[in-house]
Amino acid sequence: MFSTSLRLIRQGISLMLLALLAGCTEAYMPEVVTSPPGYLVVDGFLNAQGVTTIRLSRTYAVASKAAAPVETRAAVTMEDNAGTRYVLTESSVKGTYASTAQQLNPARQYRLRIITLAGKEYASAFVPVKITPAVDNLRWQVEQDGLNFYVNSHDDANATRYYRWETDETWEIHPPYAPTVEYVTASRLIRPIAVPYPTLCWGNAQSTSVLIDKTTALSQDVVADFRVKRLPANSERLYARYSILVQQHALTKEEYAYWDLLKKNTESIGTLFDPLPAQLTGNVRCLTSPAELALGFVGAHSVAEKRIFINRTDLPRPGIVLTGYETCVPPDTVFLYRSPPPNNPASILFSAFGSQTVLPIDELINPTTLTLYGYSAKPRDCIDCRTRGTVVRPSFW
């Protein structure tokens, strides 16, 4: 789920740059905004009890619509302060590096070391290992502002104090149509459908905000009912079956400060009274060029998880729950004959369905003459649920 923090890092950088332009009376995009230096972005943490996954990329122009450039073919290792090293290998996802499952020694400190293909060397600061306490409870509650999800946790040793959470949502998608016919562009004919469209898909969404809390002001290290997610009561995600996974991370004071600054830079900008963006770097440094900026904070901790499911029938007041397909009903009609003639049904069908962006659903038969006069139809997004999710059933479903 490290893509969330990577997106927020980039957003924080963008806001810092754009805030500098807010006082301009004329539109102006300085070179630093249109052609920024390609700073290394390090996203991830050292997993104390499992597989460590790190993504390396580069900063890019604020206005760019392209995907972030990834840092490939780097030599990435995790090392402790006693000199033991663990290699992270680049996966099939370019720019993503993963270790084998490891159990880090809580008595030692660890850091990440990177040597890029260009020969530049980077390293994060040595950090202590933190063991994340279990999630005591993950519960949901219907309230006036919707369906809220709360997490509870505690540490009897009072050693955690700083917490961060990420969420991963999954839900069923049920499209409103099951076509009986299909259009074959090559032959320009409509025939009985050979391979039916799926009638069930699964959608997925990961957290898009910084979820952090601290218990330093409390006598006991207890997190009570911290809200990690809110859904409208009629959310389409609750239409059939919904699941949310919460991952809990124990942070050091320094890592918490980093995430707190990231939260302020990305979520508290926009009004006169919001704080100005601050420089966001982290604990990663370029060893070969100390003046060069690198972005990201690499901590070392374990992860605790809790997952719950909600069926629509579990809701105390089901009410009207959206399907997500409200704009898809009723279906449209493609008529084979138009007035005035002449008519060419083949051309009409090709014009309607040739691009495959609109799909036929069923034949339309005149009940009096029992003749075919057209087809019901709708855009692909209303029919093929793969445009909104996947047909691969999650392993936990």
Side-chain angles (χ1 to χ4, degrees), residues 7 25 39 43 55 100 118 122 134 140 164 175 225 233 243 250 274 288 293 321 327 333 338 347 361 385:
R7 179 193 63 80
T25 57
Y39 297 132
D43 187 29
R55 179 174 169 82
T100 56
Y122 299 81
W140 56 271
R164 183 172 73 88
D225 279 352
S243 177
D274 286 327
T288 50
L293 186 64
V321 178
T327 60
T333 299
R338 300 170 182 170
S347 296
I361 301 173
C385 60

Side-chain angles (χ1 to χ4, degrees), residues 234-249:
N234 64 348
S235 172
E236 64 192 62
R237 299 181 185 184
L238 301 171
Y239 177 72
R241 193 175 192 224
Y242 169 89
S243 177
I244 184 170
L245 171 72
V246 172
Q247 293 184 320
Q248 181 169 279
H249 305 259

Side-chain angles (χ1 to χ4, degrees), residues 40 42 56 58 71-79 85 88 90 97 111-124 284-288:
L40 182 68
V42 182
L56 303 180
R58 293 281 174 174
E71 187 71 27
T72 64
R73 301 170 64 186
V76 182
T77 56
M78 175 172 54
E79 60 184 27
R85 292 189 176 186
L88 278 69
E90 188 169 13
Y97 301 80
R111 72 174 180 179
L112 188 72
R113 198 177 189 95
I114 302 161
I115 301 177
T116 67
L117 185 62
K120 286 193 174 182
E121 187 172 3
Y122 299 81
S124 62
V284 181
R285 301 291 179 264
C286 181
L287 303 183
T288 50

Side-chain angles (χ1 to χ4, degrees), residues 220-338:
Q220 294 182 315
D221 194 352
V222 176
V223 175
D225 279 352
F226 180 86
R227 189 170 78 174
V228 292
K229 185 67 186 179
R230 186 194 73 83
L231 287 174
N234 64 348
S235 172
E236 64 192 62
R237 299 181 185 184
L238 301 171
Y239 177 72
R241 193 175 192 224
Y242 169 89
S243 177
I244 184 170
L245 171 72
V246 172
Q247 293 184 320
Q248 181 169 279
H249 305 259
L251 309 180
T252 62
K253 179 179 180 180
E254 293 75 19
E255 191 173 3
Y256 178 89
Y258 168 83
W259 282 101
D260 188 40
L261 181 58
L262 182 58
K263 181 180 179 70
K264 292 174 181 176
N265 278 354
T266 57
E267 300 177 15
S268 301
I269 301 295
T271 73
L272 179 63
F273 303 102
D274 286 327
L276 291 175
Q279 183 173 347
L280 181 72
T281 53
N283 68 347
V284 181
R285 301 291 179 264
C286 181
L287 303 183
T288 50
S289 302
E292 181 176 322
L293 186 64
L295 304 169
F297 196 108
V298 181
H301 56 265
S302 60
V303 180
E305 297 182 345
K306 180 78 75 174
R307 178 185 293 279
I308 59 172
F309 290 86
I310 299 177
N311 294 313
R312 183 175 176 180
T313 54
D314 294 333
L315 300 175
R317 298 186 300 275
I320 299 175
V321 178
L322 300 178
T323 66
Y325 288 102
E326 277 68 25
T327 60
C328 295
V329 180
D332 301 321
T333 299
V334 174
F335 293 95
L336 290 179
Y337 305 98
R338 300 170 182 170

